[in-house]
Amino acid sequence: MKMKTEIVIVGTGVAGLFCALNLPQDKEILMITKSDTKSSDSFLAQGGICVLRDEDDYDSYFEDTMKAGHYENRKESVDIMIRSSREIIGDLVGYGVEFERSEDGFAYTREGAHSRPRILYHEDITGKEITSRLLSQVKKLKNVTILEYTTMTDIIEENGICAGILAESETDGSMEIRADYTILASGGIGGTYMHSTNYPHLTGDAIEISRKHGIRLEHLDYVQIHPTTLYSKKPGRRFLISESVRGEGAVLYNKEGKRFVNELLPRDIVTKAIHEQMEKDGTDYVWLSMDNIKKETIRSHFPNICRHCLEEGYDVTKEWIPVVPAQHYFMGGIWVDSDSLTSMDSLFAVGETSCNGVHGANRLASNSLLESLVFAKRAAAKIKAMYGEDIKGEETA
Ligand SMILES: Cc1cc2nc3c(=O)[nH]c(=O)nc-3n(C[C@H](O)[C@H](O)[C@H](O)COP(=O)(O)OP(=O)(O)OC[C@H]3O[C@@H](n4cnc5c(N)ncnc54)[C@H](O)[C@@H]3O)c2cc1C
């Protein structure tokens, strides 16, 4: 089947959806997703989304992001993300996203390597709250069509320019989708790992396709392992125990019930300490205790974690749970500039599949939803401007 659209977006997580919402509504947009629209990592995000609370927090937020990233971050991108954060939160609230509130306004939580609480959250299902609201807004747009169970298999390259994609649909077979602009928003690489918190269908397809076409890639070895996922012998996706549980006071114990690490250090350091401890103890996991957190707080802030652990046989309000590190996030990816343009003309990449350098060598907790949204909006603005330039060019020709 051959199709023509103006913009094609590969992926329906936060990055793809926010792009669609910010693109001009007089442009025809086709979105495809390999699975159904609810099966994206964006729906799984638990802990929350960072925001610059006030001007006084700028230096400390910038430093926390750089330090977690081992100072390998692109400073310009970090600055853009932090400076845009309040506008993005305003957009989300405008789309109906509800964040936890206190008497003075928003309530903030804290995660590892943040020097102060600056994370907005919705129980422990922040990703579901944000993504489902964005998805319902996109579904209202008359200019957007979403095709589920449709997998991009290649891009169409013509004279060094991206002219669309090739895809395989479960219902319609092979498809050639031509477009003025292509946006890759196809998420991470967790599906290529045995133990990962990601959906198994997220296998870095856009990255492999880009490699084949000589598109610039960056930091392919920068993979984040999350220190705490619930230990299980069952096959499949690992269940995340959000870092905000440690931010609220949970501690890690070795097999003798002794603490062995500062739980709020950056993820890579806590992960290394857990691996070393498991080796010393000859175990496949360490223990996480929520004894220091009030039972009410556990139930109200982490209802999803409570429920899931109960299903696995653990009551987190009464007992320790076994946890183990697992693949979680990909800092590297398709190199993009600060407008999310790749090294190939007419081809953009946003979200986890892209690398705009915000995260450096290691992502600071709760920066990825924000980074995805900020740079998706910039991609949309750039495309809008490029259409404007085309019109100007035609007028003066
Ligand atoms: C368990 C978990 C908890 C997390 N918690 C947080 C948190 O608290 N805060 C935070 O900031 N970040 C968190 N993250 C990270 C964050 O959720 C992701 O980085 C972010 O949602 C990525 O969004 P995305 O739009 O780039 O990709 P995704 O949401 O993963 O979407 C990818 C989309 O691409 C589609 N796709 C993939 N390949 C193809 C293909 N070949 N053809 C067509 N479609 C394709 C998929 O079907 C999907 O629709 C968490 C991640 C996980 C897994």
Side-chain angles (χ1 to χ4, degrees):
M1 185 200 285
K2 289 193 180 186
M3 293 174 82
K4 170 83 183 103
T5 185
E6 289 176 298
I7 301 158
V8 61
I9 302 177
V10 182
T12 57
V14 284
L17 293 169
F18 208 55
C19 255
L21 284 170
N22 282 284
L23 282 163
Q25 291 191 13
D26 61 349
K27 298 293 168 201
E28 197 188 335
I29 300 169
L30 179 68
M31 300 187 76
I32 67 163
T33 172
K34 203 170 176 179
S35 179
D36 61 83
T37 47
K38 293 201 172 135
S39 302
S40 68
D41 275 7
S42 297
F43 268 89
L44 302 177
Q46 295 181 347
I49 178 167
C50 288
V51 65
L52 177 67
R53 282 180 67 165
D54 48 53
E55 276 308 308
D56 291 347
D57 192 31
Y58 178 88
D59 289 345
S60 124
Y61 185 4
F62 191 90
E63 173 60 17
D64 288 349
T65 301
M66 296 294 296
K67 191 173 175 191
H70 297 260
Y71 299 96
E72 291 188 39
N73 323 52
R74 241 186 272 165
K75 283 184 183 169
E76 184 201 359
S77 300
V78 177
D79 175 65
I80 292 172
M81 179 188 74
I82 296 177
R83 291 267 174 231
S84 313
S85 62
R86 289 207 241 161
E87 176 189 314
I88 295 294
I89 297 303
D91 291 350
L92 294 180
V93 172
Y95 288 131
V97 174
E98 288 181 10
F99 293 112
E100 195 69 29
R101 294 202 173 246
S102 67
E103 280 168 12
D104 332 319
F106 285 132
Y108 298 92
T109 187
R110 188 176 173 185
E111 295 187 63
H114 282 274
S115 47
R116 77 183 272 206
R118 59 168 80 89
I119 298 165
L120 296 171
Y121 63 99
H122 180 102
E123 296 175 353
D124 52 355
I125 49 165
T126 312
K128 185 177 174 198
E129 170 67 10
I130 295 176
T131 319
S132 56
R133 302 272 182 189
L134 297 182
L135 181 59
S136 65
Q137 293 292 332
V138 168
K139 283 184 173 168
K140 288 184 200 160
L141 295 177
K142 294 206 169 55
N143 61 319
V144 180
T145 306
I146 301 180
L147 298 180
E148 294 186 313
Y149 301 103
T150 305
T151 301
M152 170 181 69
T153 52
D154 206 347
I155 55 167
I156 305 170
E157 179 179 357
E158 280 173 0
N159 306 318
I161 295 174
C162 181
I165 60 165
L166 300 180
E168 208 53 46
S169 149
E170 280 189 16
T171 46
D172 297 318
S174 300
M175 301 173 93
E176 181 185 297
I177 305 168
R178 294 202 157 253
D180 303 335
Y181 295 105
T182 300
I183 302 171
L184 304 173
S186 48
I189 58 168
T192 60
Y193 284 73
M194 192 188 285
H195 299 294
S196 172
T197 59
N198 294 188
Y199 270 106
H201 67 278
L202 301 179
T203 45
D205 304 351
I207 294 154
E208 177 52 21
I209 290 168
S210 298
R211 188 197 56 75
K212 210 172 75 182
H213 287 267
I215 294 163
R216 183 172 168 194
L217 304 174
E218 198 173 23
H219 295 324
L220 295 191
D221 51 340
Y222 286 178
V223 177
Q224 183 169 80
I225 309 295
H226 197 288
T228 51
T229 68
L230 186 65
Y231 174 76
S232 169
K233 286 193 171 151
K234 287 185 199 158
R237 190 158 60 75
R238 298 292 135 209
F239 183 75
L240 184 78
I241 307 296
S242 168
E243 194 154 328
S244 56
V245 175
R246 280 175 282 129
E248 294 292 331
V251 290
L252 290 163
Y253 290 130
N254 65 12
K255 72 171 183 190
E256 260 106 44
K258 291 206 174 96
R259 274 179 82 184
F260 56 90
V261 65
N262 169 359
E263 292 81 2
L264 294 180
L265 286 172
R267 290 181 176 174
D268 52 345
I269 298 173
V270 178
T271 293
K272 189 162 174 270
I274 294 176
H275 273 300
E276 284 169 2
Q277 193 60 49
M278 289 190 324
E279 235 165 69
K280 257 191 230 159
D281 289 353
T283 52
D284 292 336
Y285 51 81
V286 294
W287 295 104
L288 183 77
S289 157
M290 300 188 202
D291 293 350
N292 293 337
I293 316 177
K294 282 191 200 141
K295 287 191 183 12
E296 287 152 50
T297 311
I298 300 177
R299 289 195 194 101
S300 64
H301 191 153
F302 307 111
N304 185 41
I305 292 176
C306 285
R307 198 168 40 245
H308 186 93
C309 289
L310 261 187
E311 280 165 22
E312 295 277 331
Y314 304 100
D315 182 346
V316 292
T317 62
K318 293 194 184 130
E319 59 193 319
W320 301 351
I321 52 170
V323 291
V324 63
Q327 191 280 342
H328 184 55
Y329 185 79
F330 185 40
M331 278 77 62
I334 304 166
W335 176 92
V336 288
D337 69 11
S338 55
D339 291 318
S340 306
L341 187 58
T342 70
S343 62
M344 180 179 275
D345 277 353
S346 304
L347 181 67
F348 288 76
V350 291
E352 196 168 332
T353 216
S354 69
C355 180
N356 51 43
V358 157
H359 308 297
N362 176 54
R363 173 177 69 107
L364 180 69
S366 285
N367 259 351
S368 48
L369 288 172
L370 178 62
E371 174 256 309
S372 297
L373 295 165
V374 166
F375 288 88
K377 191 171 180 179
R378 290 177 72 85
K382 180 71 182 174
I383 290 173
K384 192 174 170 187
M386 286 166 100
Y387 272 119
E389 281 161 23
D390 288 348
I391 292 167
K392 260 193 241 157
E394 278 164 25
E395 280 167 358
T396 50

